Amino acid sequence: MNADCLTIKEFTEAVGGGITPRMVRHYHQLGLLPQAVRSHSNYRLYSQQDVIRLQRIVALKQQGFQLNHIRHILEGNEADTNHDLIGQLQQQYQAIIQQISQLRQTASALEGLLGRDEHCQIIQAEVLAQIKLLDVDTQAGLGGLEKLWSRLDAEVHNHSEVFPESLQRLLPDLSNCSEIEQHLISQLVLACGDVSLVSFLRLSREAIAASRKALKSGCEIIVDVPTVAATLDQTRLSHLGCLVKTLIDNPHITTVTEAEQAFWQHQQWRETLLQQNTGAILVVGYAPSVLLEICTALENQKIQPALVIGMPIGFSHAPAAKRQLMEQNVPFITIEGTLGGGLLATTVLNSLVESLIDKPNCHCYLDKSLV
């Protein structure tokens, strides 16, 4: 037996990822793995090349690729094959989106039931009791379920919603987070109405402390577009002595597309980015190219911000820019993937500022001219 060859048990142990001999035999049958060489005793033998191929299969499967698509990915790179593969991946994407939509509907129903504040608890208990009695396999049962939701919805007219209580049963366990982080997460969820955002939020370990120190010192706040600047808590920032500057300083730019194109077309905005003062807070809520440029400047040690809030919108550049940001040696707050936008970016900064200055019924006293 060749010393470099592995038995099927050694093969699965080398690959890891929970692979079993039974799964390996299944992949042989599907054509994902080539048939193994046999020993004189008729045992399957595997090479390091087989290990690498199976590791690729495992990695793609963990990313949600279907097995028939994985086979096409591994089989070749010819133009026709790639064109066919793109079509299959588009079908897979649509199927995943449909699954997400169905799960979102289920989640919405659960949010409507679980996300009840104290005033709704009595009617909620009645609905829960009656759900147990429904025969939901019948059309009559489904109709009864709709009536229960209607009764639950009717209760919302009796009082204003108490958001902290509504979130209490929906948010994951945040006991390991500081109070400031918990408040920031709650504000982000309320800003977008999607509790699943919590799973994608990423804060570097020193982000909160670094931001508070910078804000207390009256640091500059540099945002990518005027729309982001317009939603900042200017009163509190003014009290802290923080001057807000807009990088793409054109009031006519109001969309992501316009911001992205404008940044590429005008070199002066790249130069302005490099001229920022050390210790500034950078807030990117629209253009992914701005965040990519920030990452390049960080790699070349041309800027030293106190914090980067990177939440641009986009389907290719934005996720890539966020991944690059998380690799930099700088405090950051971002949301993985395509989620983002100016509202979420400013919600983060406003939440951090709010942690430094409480807001009474009227905070006009924060205007320095009145102090």
Side-chain angles (χ1 to χ4, degrees):
M1 182 185 296
N2 191 325
D4 294 331
C5 291
L6 304 173
T7 65
I8 193 167
K9 181 180 179 182
E10 294 170 337
F11 179 45
T12 56
E13 291 175 349
V15 173
I19 291 292
T20 65
R22 182 178 179 180
M23 294 169 67
V24 170
R25 289 190 285 269
H26 180 57
Y27 291 161
H28 281 309
Q29 293 174 351
L30 295 177
L32 279 168
L33 284 173
Q35 291 301 320
V37 176
R38 295 279 182 167
S39 69
H40 294 300
S41 302
N42 203 32
Y43 288 109
R44 289 185 174 92
L45 299 177
Y46 298 91
S47 66
Q48 287 301 318
Q49 186 175 358
D50 293 322
V51 172
I52 294 173
R53 183 178 179 90
L54 185 52
Q55 286 174 336
R56 289 174 178 170
I57 293 171
V58 172
L60 290 168
K61 192 170 182 293
Q62 289 175 342
Q63 292 300 314
F65 287 93
Q66 296 178 5
L67 293 179
N68 61 324
H69 297 155
I70 293 175
R71 185 175 63 251
H72 279 82
I73 291 173
L74 298 178
E75 279 179 351
N77 295 315
E78 293 83 1
D80 291 342
T81 302
N82 286 345
H83 183 270
D84 181 59
L85 176 59
I86 290 295
Q88 291 189 34
L89 294 181
Q90 286 175 330
Q91 292 178 9
Q92 180 181 352
Y93 175 75
Q94 294 300 328
I96 291 173
I97 290 298
Q98 185 175 3
Q99 292 173 5
I100 292 174
S101 177
Q102 292 171 346
L103 290 172
R104 181 67 262 177
Q105 292 177 8
T106 302
S108 295
L110 291 172
E111 286 162 355
L113 184 63
L114 296 174
R116 294 278 146 176
D117 52 43
E118 186 176 356
H119 291 86
C120 293
Q121 293 300 306
I122 296 177
I123 189 69
Q124 181 193 56
E126 293 177 3
V127 170
L128 287 171
Q130 293 184 46
I131 282 179
K132 298 177 182 179
L133 304 177
L134 285 176
D135 181 8
V136 294
D137 290 333
T138 67
Q139 193 64 37
L142 292 175
L145 189 60
E146 289 297 328
K147 291 180 180 179
L148 288 181
W149 296 141
S150 297
R151 286 191 60 199
L152 198 60
D153 290 342
E155 185 68 14
V156 302
H157 297 284
N158 295 338
H159 64 278
S160 59
E161 182 164 359
V162 184
F163 291 109
E165 293 180 13
S166 296
L167 288 174
Q168 187 175 6
R169 296 186 181 181
L170 300 177
L171 289 174
D173 182 13
L174 301 176
S175 58
N176 292 330
C177 301
S178 67
E179 290 186 11
I180 295 174
E181 288 180 83
Q182 292 180 29
H183 178 68
L184 186 153
I185 291 170
S186 298
Q187 294 302 104
L188 280 172
V189 170
L190 289 173
C192 68
D194 187 354
V195 181
S196 67
L197 174 141
V198 180
S199 302
F200 301 97
L201 181 64
R202 298 290 179 267
L203 293 83
S204 62
R205 186 172 57 181
E206 67 278 18
I208 300 296
S211 64
R212 288 169 63 83
K213 180 179 178 181
L215 289 167
K216 287 179 181 178
S217 67
C219 67
E220 284 186 342
I221 309 295
I222 300 176
V223 303
D224 53 347
V225 295
T227 306
V228 173
T231 53
L232 290 176
D233 190 337
Q234 298 285 354
T235 305
R236 283 192 175 93
L237 289 172
S238 177
H239 182 73
L240 291 168
C242 297
L243 180 64
V244 178
K245 294 184 178 180
T246 304
L247 182 62
I248 307 176
D249 193 12
N250 183 339
H252 299 292
I253 293 176
T254 57
T255 68
V256 177
T257 301
E258 292 171 347
E260 184 74 356
Q261 292 177 347
F263 187 74
W264 273 102
Q265 293 171 357
H266 300 281
Q267 181 65 28
Q268 73 266 25
W269 287 326
R270 287 189 174 85
E271 295 172 355
T272 300
L273 179 63
L274 300 178
Q275 295 169 1
Q276 62 174 268
N277 293 329
T278 298
I281 292 180
L282 309 183
V283 184
V284 182
Y286 269 55
S289 290
V290 173
L291 185 55
L292 286 169
E293 191 71 17
I294 289 172
C295 292
T296 300
L298 288 169
E299 291 175 356
N300 297 328
Q301 299 182 342
K302 292 184 177 180
I303 59 174
Q304 293 180 322
L307 174 73
V308 179
I309 300 174
M311 299 184 180
I313 304 172
F315 299 97
S316 59
H317 291 49
K322 294 170 184 177
R323 286 193 293 269
Q324 289 188 26
L325 174 61
M326 290 186 284
E327 295 172 356
Q328 304 301 320
N329 186 27
V330 65
F332 67 82
I333 301 176
T334 188
I335 300 174
E336 281 189 314
T338 60
L339 290 173
L343 177 60
L344 295 181
T346 55
T347 295
V348 170
L349 185 62
N350 289 341
S351 179
L352 294 171
V353 173
E354 185 180 350
S355 71
L356 295 171
I357 304 177
D358 290 333
K359 182 177 183 180
N361 294 331
C362 174
H363 62 256
C364 297
Y365 79 96
L366 294 179
D367 188 332
K368 289 184 176 180
S369 65
L370 301 178
V371 177

